[in-house]
Structure formats: structure tokens, C-alpha cells
Amino acid sequence: MINLVLFGPPGAGKGTQADKIKERFNLLHISTGDVIRSQVKAETELGKIAEVQMASGGLVSDELVIGLMKNYLSEQEGAVGTIFDGFPRTTAQAEAFDVMLSEIKESVTVMIALEVDEEELVKRLLLRGNASGRADDMSEEIIRNRISVYNAQTAIVSNFYEKQGKYVAIDGTGTIDNIFGRISAVLENYTK
Ligand code: AMP
């Protein structure tokens, strides 16, 4: 079973690439951001707490996100594998994730990190905000805050997987198909 952590700052193209990867490699895809947004929309208890944390571009608490992921994994026994998009985002989440996966005799296969510079990220996110109306993509201030949160709290998660020999960085610029080609070349090593 392939457990791919698709990593990178907001706007790096994780969602876009995940759509292509899941088709080609027959994987499931979970985006913690999407799950949280749907809980906010449904006005669940969890959604109400998350909404406040999310609005300024900060992270939702580890406890809440780890709980969501435990739920997801409890339904995944025997599945083909998953692309984890937007998770783990802190070292505490990465540590908890290893434990959760080992409980179902699984582990992270590889982390693929998409590298894109900050000005390009801001440009892409503002465009996405215009097209989608997603609140945290519409304000440059919130976007820059999300990137700072990524630099301060999330970027370090790559060290966790680097130490395990599971970290691969990819150039996240160019056409969608170019980037997908780079990702596929890595993933093919795990599917043969
Ligand atoms: P995303 O769609 O991945 O850009 O996530 C949107 C927002 O959801 C983030 O800015 C966070 O507030 C929240 N979020 C998503 N995934 C996580 C996570 N793994 N840990 C904490 N907060 C998260």
C-alpha cells in the first residue's frame, strides 16, 4: 500500500497534482483542508472551532486534525493507498501519524515536496481566490500569513521524513504536466 505525503506550501499545486496522481496510480486522496472546510460548511462542532483557527491563516489544533485522520484511517484497511495532502503539517502530527499507521501495520512510503518560491505562490493563490471565492485565498495578507505559518511550523516536517530516508524534493514550477512527470518518475519506483 502506498502512503504518499504530498508536501509543500499553500499554492504549491498539491491538490492539482493529487487529482492526476490518484488517477494514474489508483490511489485515494485526502486533503485535511477540504475535510475541515466541509465541516465548517456543515456547521459541525468541529467546524465551528476550526473556522476561527482557519480564518486568519493559522493552523487548526493538532488534536483536532489528528482526530480527523484517525477516523479516516480506521476506514482504510485493505485499501490501495492514499495521497495525504496538507497533512502532516507539524512534527507532532508527523509523530502521531507514524503511530497511527503502525497500528494498522502501515507506514509512510515517501514524502514528495513541491518547491515553489514565495512570489509565485502568492500569485497563484490570488488567482485561485478570484476563481473560487475561497476566503483564505482572497486576501494577500492572509496568504502571506499562511506562507509564514508554513515556514515557521510546517517546513520542518520534511526533516522528520528526511531522517527516515523518505524525503524527495521536486521542482514545483513549469506546466502541470511537467510537474506531474517529475512526480510520476518518483512514484514509479514504489509501484513496480
Ligand atoms: P489547505 O486547504 O491545505 O490550504 O488548508 C487550509 C487551512 O486548513 C489551513 O490554513 C489550516 O488552517 C487548516 N489545515 C489544513 N490541514 C491542516 C493540518 N494538517 N493541520 C492544521 N491545520 C490544517
Side-chain angles (χ1 to χ4, degrees):
M1 181 155 148
I2 293 187
N3 295 301
L4 163 65
V5 176
L6 194 56
F7 194 66
K14 300 186 292 294
T16 305
Q17 293 297 331
D19 283 343
K20 295 178 77 71
I21 298 167
K22 71 178 181 194
E23 238 175 67
R24 166 92 156 261
F25 294 93
N26 192 28
L27 298 173
L28 302 171
H29 170 215
I30 180 167
S31 147
T32 40
D34 285 349
V35 174
I36 296 167
R37 276 186 291 278
S38 69
Q39 299 265 347
V40 170
K41 205 167 161 204
E43 298 180 2
T44 63
E45 279 312 302
L46 187 152
K48 284 179 196 158
I49 301 167
E51 190 172 19
V52 183
Q53 297 171 324
M54 211 173 173
S56 61
L59 293 183
V60 170
S61 70
D62 285 334
E63 194 191 350
L64 202 149
V65 177
I66 289 166
L68 282 179
M69 201 47 80
K70 275 191 180 148
N71 263 346
Y72 174 80
L73 288 178
S74 69
E75 293 158 8
Q76 293 313 311
E77 241 186 287
V80 276
T82 299
I83 305 161
F84 296 90
D85 159 3
F87 179 89
R89 244 173 162 106
T90 62
T91 301
Q93 290 179 18
E95 284 165 353
F97 193 33
D98 263 11
V99 173
M100 282 181 242
L101 286 171
S102 68
E103 280 168 3
I104 55 165
K105 299 190 173 55
E106 286 295 331
S107 59
V108 166
T109 310
V110 62
M111 166 186 266
I112 297 184
L114 300 172
E115 295 185 327
V116 179
D117 75 41
E118 177 159 342
E119 291 319 303
E120 172 72 15
L121 294 172
V122 173
K123 212 165 73 189
R124 289 184 187 181
L125 288 169
L126 284 170
L127 277 175
R128 187 169 81 182
N130 268 335
S132 70
R134 190 178 137 177
D136 61 351
D137 283 342
M138 290 174 75
S139 139
E140 182 164 342
E141 193 187 335
I142 296 175
I143 290 173
R144 292 214 186 257
N145 191 38
R146 283 160 64 209
I147 297 171
S148 315
V149 167
Y150 174 84
N151 290 332
Q153 298 180 54
T154 303
I156 196 172
V157 177
S158 61
N159 295 351
F160 184 86
Y161 293 102
E162 196 163 25
K163 279 189 204 134
Q164 298 184 6
K166 293 178 175 174
Y167 173 72
V168 181
I170 296 268
D171 177 3
T173 60
T175 66
I176 290 172
D177 285 338
N178 282 158
I179 301 163
F180 180 58
R182 293 175 202 133
I183 294 174
S184 296
V186 174
L187 280 180
E188 270 151 18
N189 296 319
Y190 298 94
T191 52
K192 273 173 202 153

